[in-house]
Structure formats: structure tokens, C-alpha cells
Amino acid sequence: CNSMIIFLLLILTYSNYSFKLFSISTFKLKYNKISLNSSNNDDIILKKIDKWACIKNCGACCKLGPLDSRPDLDSYLTKDELVLYKSMIGPDDWCINYDQSNKLCKIYNDRPNFCRVDVKNFKKMFGIEEEEFNDFCTFCCSESITDVYGEDSDVM
């Protein structure tokens, strides 16, 4: 669950009580393409891929709800994945597998594919090419962290 996909779902983000729509084409217009070196080490929480890195002790991507802030989930999740995604949303909109006090995923090694940040998954789900991956992740993380923790967050 500590993967960023949820923040990727960000393609629609919730901020300051208003919705901001960000599309993949907006991302492509805003950021230049750069190449990256990918890493497939799924056994560690801090995962670095070129310049982008998952921020340890963040978990912003594990805030799965509210569902109405992510109306496009069915455009990149299969029916089964969507059912699983919805079942993982707790009453506080956080993933039920996310340990908020320790800021760790309780099922990290067995997390669903949509919770895994890697080039293959993002190409399949979002049509993001390898050379766009680094910038796309950076863009999505920034939006998600801002929405969950605020603009002046120490996480950033």
C-alpha cells in the first residue's frame, strides 16, 4: 500500500475543499521527459528510481478515500482490483493495511499490484512510458503529499 498508485489516482486530487483535476496530458505538458534507471527491489520501503524516491514515513498514497475524489478509478483498475481497492478503505479513508502510528504498510511484501510503483504497472495503468516515469512519480507524489499533509508539510 506504500506505493504511490493511490496518489497516482491523484489524477484527481482533493485540496482545500475543492477538486483539482490533473490529467496525464497535463503532466506531459508540464514536465520534460528524462531517462531513468529502474530498480525492482520490492523488499524495501524506500525505493529509489533515478531522481524520484518514495519518501519513507510518508504514506500519503495510502489515503485511499474519499471515493468521490477518485471518480476515474475504473479507467485504470480492473473490476476485481476496484473491488479490492474499495475493500481496503477504512472509515477514516486510510488504507486498512496502513499502520498510521508507524507509517508503514502491514502487507508491504504482499500488497496488490496497484500499490506497486514500477514502470510496468504504470505503463499498463496510466500509459506512462519509461522515460516519463520519474517525472510522473515526482508530480503525483507532490500533489498527493500536499493534499494529505498540506503545502508546508515536513514530508516535502
Side-chain angles (χ1 to χ4, degrees), residues 4-28:
M4 293 319 166
I5 172 155
I6 300 18
F7 78 100
L8 287 172
L9 310 175
L10 89 85
I11 309 225
L12 182 66
T13 59
Y14 186 72
S15 176
N16 300 326
Y17 306 105
S18 64
F19 292 101
K20 297 188 299 183
L21 184 62
F22 293 94
S23 67
I24 292 173
S25 59
T26 302
F27 158 76
K28 288 180 179 180

Side-chain angles (χ1 to χ4, degrees), residues 10-144:
L10 89 85
I11 309 225
L12 182 66
T13 59
Y14 186 72
S15 176
N16 300 326
Y17 306 105
S18 64
F19 292 101
K20 297 188 299 183
L21 184 62
F22 293 94
S23 67
I24 292 173
S25 59
T26 302
F27 158 76
K28 288 180 179 180
L29 289 173
K30 189 171 181 179
Y31 292 91
N32 294 327
K33 296 179 182 180
I34 64 170
S35 62
L36 60 100
N37 299 316
S38 65
S39 167
N40 289 328
N41 188 352
D42 284 336
D43 295 329
I44 56 175
I45 298 263
L46 183 63
K47 189 172 173 181
K48 185 166 175 58
I49 301 173
D50 196 32
K51 294 180 182 179
W52 172 82
C54 180
I55 301 169
K56 192 170 185 174
N57 296 321
C58 171
C61 61
C62 297
K63 179 114 187 208
L64 305 182
L67 267 179
D68 62 353
S69 70
R70 306 190 193 297
D72 58 342
L73 286 172
D74 61 351
S75 71
Y76 48 86
L77 296 179
T78 67
K79 286 183 182 185
D80 289 342
E81 288 173 330
L82 186 57
V83 168
L84 177 59
Y85 180 91
K86 289 178 178 180
S87 74
M88 293 169 60
I89 301 173
D92 59 357
D93 289 328
W94 285 91
C95 177
I96 59 173
N97 298 302
Y98 182 63
D99 177 349
Q100 290 184 51
S101 59
N102 293 311
K103 297 194 174 198
L104 294 170
C105 176
K106 296 183 273 185
I107 62 164
Y108 186 78
N109 289 330
D110 298 317
R111 69 199 186 281
N113 277 339
F114 59 77
C115 288
R116 296 177 185 268
V117 179
D118 66 48
V119 174
K120 254 174 110 173
N121 279 347
F122 283 29
K123 176 145 176 85
K124 178 183 167 199
M125 291 173 39
F126 305 109
I128 297 298
E129 297 296 331
E130 184 173 346
E131 61 272 5
E132 301 169 311
F133 184 73
N134 182 64
D135 287 339
F136 185 72
C137 290
T138 302
F139 173 79
C140 293
C141 279
S142 175
E143 292 299 320
S144 184

